[in-house]
Amino acid sequence: MSKIVIAIDGFSSTGKSTIAKQLAKQLNYIYVDTGAMYRAVTYFALEQQYIGEGFFKEEALIQNLDSIHITFKFNPDLGFAEVYLNGENIEAAIRTLEVSKYVSPVATLSEVRRKLVEQQQLMGKDKGIVMDGRDIGTVVFPEAELKIFMTASAETRATRRYQELIGRGHQLSYEEVLENVTTRDHIDSTREDSPLVKAEDAVEIDNSDLSIETQLDRLVLMAKTLIEQ
């Protein structure tokens, strides 16, 4: 069997990471959550006070990008790889609404994207990888054998994200989450560098009313068909 690259792109809170993790596990492939990489840079920017309410010290962040070292370490108890920033486990810290609020502005910086895309391409050079994000099928791996573009209504995605955050103990309103989702959609889709767009050869999946099991079965079938060719 040959190995392929699977690129999963789409809007925030469409369940890309959940599906990508499970697909990688089914195929015994490496999984890379590129969104977590951008969240890690955003977490760094927040910690260094380069970004916050009403300000963004872009040049300060750009000048300190070499201080950012992102790695993934597999946690056998959880069954997936957790994100580390300069040796510190930040898996939980990057999943907050505060990080979500600022990740899209950080991701618009060409210097940030260039640094992370280079790392992502190195991760996939031997194929056998499932990677999800915003520009995987268009920029990181335009030659990927299987490209998926996931979408769902903003209200559906906000509900999912709200329930996830409440389940983690965060105190916030559904309206806050919906505003965050729609704001991120706008920023991600209109940024000049690598905007969120569906690749021409990507398969679009609207999962507003689809279970995870249904989506996974469909993707496994598509992947195995390509792998066995």
Side-chain angles (χ1 to χ4, degrees), residues 1-228:
M1 281 190 181
S2 60
K3 289 184 177 181
I4 65 173
V5 171
I6 301 173
I8 301 179
D9 292 309
F11 293 96
S12 65
S13 301
T14 49
K16 298 186 302 296
S17 297
T18 299
I19 287 296
K21 283 177 192 171
Q22 294 188 19
L23 179 60
K25 188 174 181 179
Q26 288 263 2
L27 300 174
N28 197 27
Y29 272 25
I30 295 168
Y31 163 67
V32 176
D33 177 0
T34 64
M37 298 174 74
Y38 286 99
R39 284 176 173 271
V41 176
T42 304
Y43 175 80
F44 175 85
L46 284 164
E47 288 290 291
Q48 299 299 318
Q49 297 186 333
Y50 295 151
I51 195 168
E53 191 64 45
F55 72 93
F56 186 5
K57 300 175 183 177
E58 298 181 9
E59 284 305 316
L61 175 57
I62 291 168
Q63 289 170 13
N64 285 278
L65 286 177
D66 287 341
S67 301
I68 299 174
H69 302 285
I70 302 166
T71 54
F72 290 87
K73 294 182 183 178
F74 186 76
N75 184 327
D77 294 329
L78 296 175
F80 62 86
E82 296 179 292
V83 188
Y84 284 73
L85 173 65
N86 298 334
E88 175 192 357
N89 187 327
I90 59 168
E91 181 64 35
I94 63 170
R95 306 299 176 181
T96 64
L97 189 62
E98 182 181 26
V99 171
S100 295
K101 181 178 180 180
Y102 295 110
V103 66
S104 288
V106 168
T108 62
L109 295 181
S110 297
E111 292 83 357
V112 171
R113 304 201 69 81
R114 193 156 51 242
K115 176 185 175 71
L116 297 188
V117 166
E118 183 178 302
Q119 292 183 25
Q120 292 155 12
Q121 290 173 333
L122 284 173
M123 292 174 183
K125 63 183 176 60
D126 296 323
K127 300 197 174 187
I129 193 168
V130 180
M131 193 174 285
D132 73 280
R134 301 288 193 281
D135 61 352
I136 312 305
T138 54
V139 175
V140 183
F141 294 117
E143 303 303 320
E145 289 85 354
L146 177 57
K147 299 179 186 178
I148 305 297
F149 188 86
M150 297 178 69
T151 186
S153 69
E155 291 75 17
T156 297
R157 292 182 285 125
T159 298
R160 291 171 181 166
R161 182 73 174 141
Y162 174 71
Q163 292 172 343
E164 177 188 351
L165 290 168
I166 291 296
R168 289 179 180 164
H170 296 283
Q171 300 297 316
L172 73 174
S173 68
Y174 167 78
E175 287 72 25
E176 287 179 276
V177 179
L178 179 59
E179 181 182 1
N180 174 252
V181 166
T182 54
T183 299
R184 288 182 66 188
D185 285 353
H186 176 72
I187 295 174
D188 292 343
S189 301
T190 59
R191 65 182 179 226
E192 290 186 16
D193 191 338
S194 310
L196 170 62
V197 292
K198 174 180 170 289
E200 289 186 6
D201 53 346
V203 177
E204 182 170 331
I205 296 178
D206 185 330
N207 63 15
S208 298
D209 301 308
L210 296 179
S211 68
I212 291 175
E213 292 74 21
T214 298
Q215 296 173 67
L216 183 60
D217 287 345
R218 184 175 174 187
L219 294 188
V220 168
L221 178 60
M222 285 191 283
K224 287 187 173 179
T225 299
L226 289 169
I227 291 168
E228 293 168 0

